[in-house]
Amino acid sequence: MIELQDKKECCGCSACANVCPKQCITMEEDQEGFLYPHVDKKACVDCGLCEKVCPIINATSKDSPHEQAGYLLQHKNERIRKESTSGGAFTAIATWVILQGGIVFGAGYRNGTFIVEHQAVDKVESLSVFRNSKYVQSVMGDTYKQVLEHLKQGRWVCFSGTPCQTEGLKGFLRGKEYEKLIVVDVVCRGVPSPSVLVRYIEAQKACIGGHFENILFRDKYYGYHYSSFSIYNKDKKKDYHKGVDSNAYLRAFFDNLSDRPSCYDCRFKKRYRQSDLTIWDCFPIEQFTKEMDGKGTTRVLVQSSKGQMIMEQIAKDVRVISVHPDKLVEGVREMFHSVPMNPKRELFFKDCNQMEPVAFFRKWFPLTLKVRLNSYVRLMCHNLGIYTFAKRLFMKFYIRKDERVK
Ligand SMILES: Cc1cc2nc3c(=O)[nH]c(=O)nc-3n(C[C@H](O)[C@H](O)[C@H](O)COP(=O)(O)OP(=O)(O)OC[C@H]3O[C@@H](n4cnc5c(N)ncnc54)[C@H](O)[C@@H]3O)c2cc1C
Ligand code: SF4
Ligand code: SF4
Ligand code: SF4
């Protein structure tokens, strides 16, 4: 039976709740807004299945090498690429699965809300629900059971998620291989708390007003290199777009304040994964090729022969350049290292629960002169069309300075 001693020991994947034959595990929200398993001990028959499927209990620190291939990918459909976080690789993969009569699972907003949950889509035109990374933990519900049902019916199934969610699925399937299952994981920095997002939306509703139609965490409104947190309002005049420099929600995320505890000691940071394809951003495209533009590129690491087959099948919809996998993963910190927990995290959540939302975000992320100036300079660079150049220059200078210090 699952008995958690430390919150870092649970990534919230829900594999235990999905597998329990007595349905005596429920996922319950803690005071930080993250879900954890709660076992009804009276109903438990001590079969041990929950422990057998848990990806954290069974995590191995060994990164066992297998054959890999690396690619840079851009979707040829510019609308799809703009709506996607990076190059639109996921839509290309998912489209192929649906065209085989298959079904695709990923993270999207629950209809009419901003609650992020795993859901299924089997129409190409509905895939937009998955596009753009949602920087919040998605609710898994009984997704793993649904995946298994479809596999048993002989259907193609694509499951996408964070590495802990994809390993949770693999644990739930207990080592059984399914020819028609395609697993896609992302390189994952961490997942913020759903309750911080709820508070943030409350604060923004009080400040902006209107009717929020869509929220994007990685909008390309100012381009791929200066992505923004965007809120699209029914009244277009009230639309909101702010970058990581000045948006409170993104600042909390990138200051390592709002993540799930397990993310600060992530057991899934590795190169060789159980998935078929691993996807993530490629900002410094110029270091790889001059043939691709800077409007968004996905790095794709092929982890299996099935993953390689998919890359061949989607070739007509995408522009692809082959890159040696060693070069593809070089310097990708989030693939190998957890982010450090911010020492002020406990206080952050205490305030989040106790303070009125607008006051809370103003206290933690004040719009100081420095923040405003940073934002202004970035926007100026964007408007002058030199944002990417200026950023690169800054990084170069910054790295040199860093090396001098060492
Ligand atoms: C929480 C999170 C953290 C990430 N951290 C990094 C990082 O540190 N460095 C990096 O290079 N890339 C990171 N990525 C990956 C990156 O943001 C893109 O997902 C990737 O570049 C693929 O983009 P795309 O254009 O091909 O796909 P898109 O069309 O953008 O597809 C997005 C995919 O991500 C899935 N997804 C979206 N939100 C969630 C969620 N909350 N939980 C689980 N799955 C989700 C969707 O189901 C879909 O499969 C992260 C993604 C997420 C979701
Ligand atoms: S030991 Fe078996 S019955 Fe008990 S909670 Fe775990 S899966 Fe359910
Ligand atoms: S990591 Fe997943 S399987 Fe393990 S206890 Fe947490 S929710 Fe259950
Ligand atoms: S950082 Fe690790 S534990 Fe956290 S969501 Fe990503 S894969 Fe899961």
Side-chain angles (χ1 to χ4, degrees):
M1 179 180 39
I2 298 280
E3 279 180 295
L4 297 173
Q5 306 299 331
D6 181 341
K7 291 209 161 153
K8 282 187 174 169
E9 301 297 318
C10 175
C11 61
C13 70
S14 304
C16 53
N18 273 257
V19 83
C20 177
K22 295 287 162 191
Q23 273 110 52
C24 60
I25 304 181
T26 45
M27 298 299 290
E28 294 183 5
E29 197 178 301
D30 73 349
Q31 68 281 11
E32 293 179 347
F34 294 109
L35 296 176
Y36 291 90
H38 174 81
V39 182
D40 174 358
K41 289 186 180 157
K42 284 199 211 107
C44 170
V45 291
D46 219 7
C47 68
L49 271 180
C50 48
E51 291 173 49
K52 282 199 187 118
V53 303
C54 175
I56 289 209
I57 291 177
N58 299 293
T60 154
S61 53
K62 220 172 71 213
D63 198 3
S64 331
H66 53 238
E67 204 178 322
Q68 291 183 321
Y71 297 97
L72 299 173
L73 184 153
Q74 297 185 336
H75 205 291
K76 283 184 188 165
N77 181 318
E78 291 303 329
R79 184 186 54 81
I80 289 175
R81 185 156 68 121
K82 184 147 193 284
E83 288 174 7
S84 303
T85 316
S86 50
F90 183 69
T91 299
I93 299 159
T95 301
W96 182 83
V97 171
I98 289 178
L99 293 179
Q100 310 315 302
I103 188 159
V104 176
F105 289 83
Y109 291 126
R110 184 182 297 168
N111 209 357
T113 74
F114 295 112
I115 297 167
V116 175
E117 64 181 10
H118 261 67
Q119 49 194 277
V121 156
D122 62 3
K123 291 190 176 55
V124 172
E125 59 275 21
S126 305
L127 282 175
S128 57
V129 72
F130 299 142
R131 289 201 271 275
N132 215 274
S133 293
K134 288 94 191 161
Y135 287 151
V136 67
Q137 183 154 41
S138 73
V139 178
M140 194 51 68
D142 66 353
T143 295
Y144 296 152
K145 284 196 217 174
Q146 291 181 43
V147 167
L148 183 57
E149 276 313 304
H150 288 287
L151 288 171
K152 281 183 178 165
Q153 287 165 22
R155 235 176 147 183
W156 278 97
V157 177
C158 173
F159 176 87
S160 66
T162 58
C164 57
Q165 292 171 334
T166 56
E167 290 215 15
L169 172 67
K170 288 287 180 147
F172 172 80
L173 297 174
R174 277 178 278 161
K176 186 151 185 230
E177 290 298 326
Y178 291 85
E179 203 190 318
K180 292 189 173 176
L181 172 65
I182 293 156
V183 177
V184 180
D185 64 357
V186 292
V187 164
C188 173
R189 177 189 175 87
V191 280
S193 154
S195 72
V196 174
L197 181 62
V198 168
R199 293 298 155 103
Y200 181 71
I201 294 172
E202 279 169 22
Q204 286 293 37
K205 281 198 169 149
C207 294
I208 306 173
H211 176 78
F212 292 5
E213 287 190 317
N214 198 10
I215 294 179
L216 298 178
F217 298 76
R218 284 279 307 274
D219 196 10
K220 289 177 179 164
Y221 182 78
Y222 297 119
Y224 178 54
H225 287 265
Y226 184 29
S227 65
S228 66
F229 189 108
S230 290
I231 300 173
Y232 288 91
N233 233 302
K234 205 168 184 177
D235 175 359
K236 298 283 162 244
K237 288 196 286 292
K238 291 185 170 168
D239 282 357
Y240 165 98
H241 310 278
K242 292 278 179 210
V244 64
D245 46 89
S246 54
N247 174 265
Y249 188 83
L250 293 180
R251 285 170 75 190
F253 182 35
F254 288 100
D255 283 352
N256 308 320
L257 284 161
S258 54
D259 288 342
R260 189 177 175 100
S262 56
C263 301
Y264 301 108
D265 186 14
C266 176
R267 315 295 163 89
F268 310 98
K269 300 270 181 193
K270 55 189 173 187
R271 168 173 168 174
Y272 298 95
R273 309 218 176 161
Q274 294 183 26
S275 59
D276 297 297
L277 297 156
T278 301
I279 57 175
W280 74 102
D281 281 285
C282 183
F283 291 110
I285 185 71
E286 73 289 346
Q287 289 176 14
F288 293 95
T289 176
K290 299 267 178 286
E291 285 167 35
M292 285 181 158
D293 65 24
K295 293 181 184 168
T297 308
T298 312
R299 293 192 220 201
V300 183
L301 187 59
V302 173
Q303 305 273 8
S304 71
S305 51
K306 218 187 306 176
Q308 187 58 42
M309 178 275 289
I310 298 290
M311 287 303 292
E312 283 151 25
Q313 294 294 326
I314 64 174
K316 69 172 183 2
D317 294 331
V318 296
R319 290 182 289 275
V320 169
I321 287 177
S322 170
V323 174
H324 194 285
D326 290 353
K327 179 145 197 256
L328 200 73
V329 305
E330 196 181 295
V332 181
R333 263 198 79 75
E334 304 88 0
M335 177 172 260
F336 301 103
H337 303 285
S338 300
V339 294
M341 185 188 286
N342 190 313
K344 294 183 184 156
R345 185 181 179 279
E346 204 180 319
L347 186 62
F348 172 82
F349 274 99
K350 193 167 163 235
D351 280 355
C352 182
N353 286 331
Q354 289 177 356
M355 291 177 73
E356 182 273 321
V358 175
F360 165 66
F361 285 102
R362 282 198 181 141
K363 173 185 165 184
W364 279 83
F365 308 102
L367 283 174
T368 58
L369 187 64
K370 192 177 159 198
V371 171
R372 283 171 203 266
L373 205 65
N374 183 356
S375 189
Y376 177 76
V377 170
R378 284 184 194 239
L379 263 180
M380 280 289 288
C381 289
H382 166 74
N383 292 339
L384 291 168
I386 57 163
Y387 184 83
T388 312
F389 171 74
K391 190 174 166 188
R392 255 182 242 147
L393 211 66
F394 174 78
M395 296 298 279
K396 209 169 165 182
F397 169 73
Y398 184 76
I399 290 164
R400 274 208 200 127
K401 204 170 110 188
D402 196 31
E403 278 169 357
R404 275 206 301 271
V405 172
K406 270 187 211 159

